[in-house]
Amino acid sequence: MLGEHCKALSASGTRPRSGAQLPGASLRDSMGRAEKVSYRAGGGTSLAHRAHTVRVLAGTEYKLRYSGSALGYFWSIAKPLAFFSVLYVVFGRALRFGVGIENYPLYLLLGVVLFTYFADATNSTVETLVNRSQLLRRLSFPRMIIPISVTVTVFITLCINLVAVVVFVAAARVVPQLDWIAVVPLLLELYLFVLGVSLILSTLYVYFRDIRQIWEVLLQILFYAAPVIYPLQLLPSWGQHLAFLNPITQIMQDFRALVLDSEQAPTVATVYGHSAMRLVPIATVLAIFALGVAIFKSREPWLAERV
Amino acid sequence: MNASRPLAVECIGVSKTFALPHDTRSNLRDYFKHPFKQSEVEQNRVLDGVDLSTYEGEFFGIVGPNGSGKSTLLKIIAGIYRQTSGVVRVFGKLSPFIELGVGFHLELNARDNVRINGTLLGLSQRQIDDRFPEILAFAELERFVDQKLKNYSTGMQLRLAYSIAIQAPFEILLLDEVFAVGDESFQEKCQETFAGMRAERKTVVLVSHDLDWIGRYCDRALLLRGGVVQETGPARDVVELYLEQERAALAPEVPIS
């Protein structure tokens, strides 16, 4: 009797009237009680609409961040620059970290801007599912839209900050090279890494609220573990090897090697002396991204009742 | 009699159990203090083997006392909650109005809020732009278009929310008491939109305590009590049965002298 009503639907979402049974679900046993099947026809949203939703939510988030403040968007660029200035005075001038580096301000700025993105984006997503509980409990949409839109919002800020980097580049009279185009895949790698970490953190936070504090501490450790303020050469050889286990280090050093030169910013290939080693951080990023998606997806159906 | 009509929503043996931990250990300290202690979890069975089928173009009511699982059932059909067991099938584009104004930001103006809310409800940018004047006119808020939402009264916000909500593309609509908003004249407007939905043969599944409304507008209804379906049938009969049960429950406490 049930088979009469349902059939595999064509992609156009036409209404089933008769025909074959739903694939993968045998619905004829007693009341179907042991099964757990949800079947939706024509209820899903298209990929284009999902992308549009991310755009709208990210744009809103960006607008709200600075709404009501007199200087508005200016703050999104002023904050990392202020942070950079403090670090430059303390570590560059007073402690002379940049002695071996030809263009230490630019070296430092690149590190600060890239690390700020990682820290800001992950920090903003930790609580995001819980903060949007109103949305989760009232609408059904692919939940991943929420962490994606937050990481995209912060990515807009990163792009604006990179404009500041361009100003520094011009001031330092560094001539742009054609191979700078490689920053695009590097930014993509950074985004995937950030999204993967954010998916893990935001899902865990639903179950353990300590994640907020733990992550703040971890970020501080990561800030000093990555060569943001000091040249990588300052570390002993084993330390340099160890540092590259962190994909942030690889992305940062590759950026610097492009804009400055690889003499001053050893990359994963030069430190390990093997160009195939380049694949290791990329594989790490992909693994963390896959793990994030898997964890998020596995908890997705129950997020609404747990947040 | 209904065998030939196309189904809109079907639930077969849907059960839902919420795990309610008695003291939720949501921080690590508690894990360190009692690492092996299983926190007591009460299994709260909210729905138990619910069968429901509603057909295309039908107005279907769900009635029952507070805590009988009506809203949970609606959220499971909407795909917001996942059932513990059972089968849920939805044929057609479904739009849940569990609450109006989802995603409203008080710091933004009407235009921005319509964009956010409309997008979340499945409208494209083009559709939102095209229908924006219509939405504002229906909500009677043309004069306040550039005002931040925090300067709106509750009634104004609800009117705006409702006006966007009825623009969402859907074949099946889930309503949870949300139509009980606004003043008399706005209520009348809402009634008109319901008449329009009926004319367009939209399917509406609604939860309400307004038994009079259910009896008048719904074709069929379902009585839920303690997560179990007590009766499914013509709306008037189900409402009558529910009222009788309520009267019977009240009778001993209110002796007529």
Side-chain angles (χ1 to χ4, degrees), chain A residues 1-2 5-6 9 15-17 22 27 31-45 49 52-53 56-57 60 63-64 67 134-141 143 207-210 214 301-302 304-306, chain B residues 3 6-8 10 12-13 16 18 26-28 31 49 51 56 75-93 96 98-99 102-103 105 107-108 112 115-116 119-123 125 171:
Chain A
M1 153 231 168
L2 291 166
H5 291 303
C6 59
L9 297 186
R15 193 166 289 274
R17 278 166 215 279
L22 192 67
L27 301 166
M31 308 296 287
R33 231 166 259 241
E35 292 172 78
K36 197 159 74 180
V37 179
S38 286
Y39 173 62
R40 270 149 223 291
T45 49
H49 190 262
H52 176 62
T53 311
V56 169
L57 290 183
T60 308
K63 204 167 179 176
L64 283 171
S67 88
Q134 192 222 21
L135 229 53
L136 294 183
R137 286 162 162 274
R138 285 165 181 73
L139 285 178
S140 83
F141 56 90
R143 272 59 170 107
Y207 296 89
F208 314 101
R209 299 297 152 97
D210 301 68
I214 293 172
W302 293 276
E305 60 189 77
R306 290 302 299 259
Chain B
L7 273 170
E10 186 177 40
I12 307 162
K16 178 69 190 171
F18 286 112
S26 59
N27 59 55
L28 279 181
Y31 279 90
D51 295 324
E56 193 185 291
K75 284 183 177 177
I76 286 173
I77 295 173
I80 294 168
Y81 289 166
R82 172 71 62 89
Q83 68 272 26
T84 311
S85 65
V87 178
V88 176
R89 273 185 276 151
V90 175
F91 304 99
K93 189 150 180 59
I98 307 295
E99 190 174 287
V102 174
H105 288 281
E107 284 293 327
L108 299 176
D112 288 335
R115 208 157 81 88
I116 300 161
T119 306
L120 285 170
L121 290 174
L123 290 166
Q125 188 57 46
E171 286 147 18

Side-chain angles (χ1 to χ4, degrees), chain A residues 12-83:
Chain A
S12 62
T14 45
R15 193 166 289 274
R17 278 166 215 279
S18 63
Q21 200 167 330
L22 192 67
S26 84
L27 301 166
R28 280 165 203 268
D29 57 4
S30 64
M31 308 296 287
R33 231 166 259 241
E35 292 172 78
K36 197 159 74 180
V37 179
S38 286
Y39 173 62
R40 270 149 223 291
T45 49
S46 69
L47 195 63
H49 190 262
R50 289 180 198 188
H52 176 62
T53 311
V54 167
R55 223 166 25 238
V56 169
L57 290 183
T60 308
E61 182 94 358
Y62 191 76
K63 204 167 179 176
L64 283 171
R65 270 192 179 213
Y66 305 104
S67 88
S69 63
L71 293 175
Y73 303 127
F74 167 75
W75 287 116
S76 68
I77 200 163
K79 275 195 299 190
L81 281 181
F83 187 43

Side-chain angles (χ1 to χ4, degrees), chain A residues 40-259:
Chain A
R40 270 149 223 291
T45 49
S46 69
L47 195 63
H49 190 262
R50 289 180 198 188
H52 176 62
T53 311
V54 167
R55 223 166 25 238
V56 169
L57 290 183
T60 308
E61 182 94 358
Y62 191 76
K63 204 167 179 176
L64 283 171
R65 270 192 179 213
Y66 305 104
S67 88
S69 63
L71 293 175
Y73 303 127
F74 167 75
W75 287 116
S76 68
I77 200 163
K79 275 195 299 190
L81 281 181
F83 187 43
F84 159 77
S85 307
V86 171
L87 292 176
Y88 180 67
V89 169
V90 174
F91 293 100
R93 283 299 162 99
L95 295 175
R96 306 205 155 272
F97 268 43
V99 165
I101 292 183
E102 198 180 307
N103 203 333
Y104 182 70
L106 193 52
Y107 179 95
L108 177 64
L109 184 68
L110 270 171
V112 168
V113 164
L114 293 174
F115 192 87
T116 302
Y117 171 62
F118 177 73
D120 250 13
T122 50
N123 248 338
S124 317
T125 26
V126 173
E127 294 178 3
T128 189
L129 289 174
V130 173
N131 289 344
R132 308 289 177 84
S133 62
Q134 192 222 21
L135 229 53
L136 294 183
R137 286 162 162 274
R138 285 165 181 73
L139 285 178
S140 83
F141 56 90
R143 272 59 170 107
M144 217 177 273
I145 282 178
I146 291 179
I148 290 176
S149 66
V150 174
T151 47
V152 167
T153 305
V154 189
F155 196 79
I156 301 172
T157 311
L158 170 65
C159 292
I160 293 171
N161 288 333
L162 286 176
V163 173
V165 173
V166 169
V167 174
F168 269 72
V169 166
R173 295 178 190 283
V174 178
V175 182
Q177 307 288 318
L178 197 63
D179 62 0
W180 285 18
I181 200 76
V183 302
V184 175
L186 283 175
L187 285 175
L188 181 69
E189 186 193 353
L190 179 61
Y191 180 73
L192 283 186
F193 184 54
V194 161
L195 183 58
V197 172
S198 298
L199 289 174
I200 297 170
L201 291 174
S202 60
T203 314
L204 285 179
Y205 182 75
V206 173
Y207 296 89
F208 314 101
R209 299 297 152 97
D210 301 68
I211 292 295
R212 156 98 284 167
Q213 267 68 32
I214 293 172
W215 187 244
E216 272 175 23
V217 173
L218 276 179
L219 271 178
Q220 297 227 323
I221 295 171
L222 281 173
F223 179 74
Y224 292 101
V228 181
I229 45 178
Y230 55 85
L232 190 73
Q233 300 92 304
L234 215 69
L235 296 176
S237 166
W238 61 267
Q240 294 186 23
H241 284 72
L242 203 63
F244 275 112
L245 291 180
N246 178 2
I248 296 282
T249 305
Q250 172 253 318
I251 294 166
M252 211 177 269
Q253 290 301 95
D254 279 347
F255 247 92
R256 287 164 169 168
L258 281 173
V259 177

Side-chain angles (χ1 to χ4, degrees), chain B residues 2 12 40 44 77 86 95 135 149 155 204 220 224:
Chain B
N2 282 316
I12 307 162
E40 269 178 64
N44 186 15
I77 295 173
S95 187
I135 290 170
L149 230 64
V204 178
R220 290 190 308 137
L224 208 56

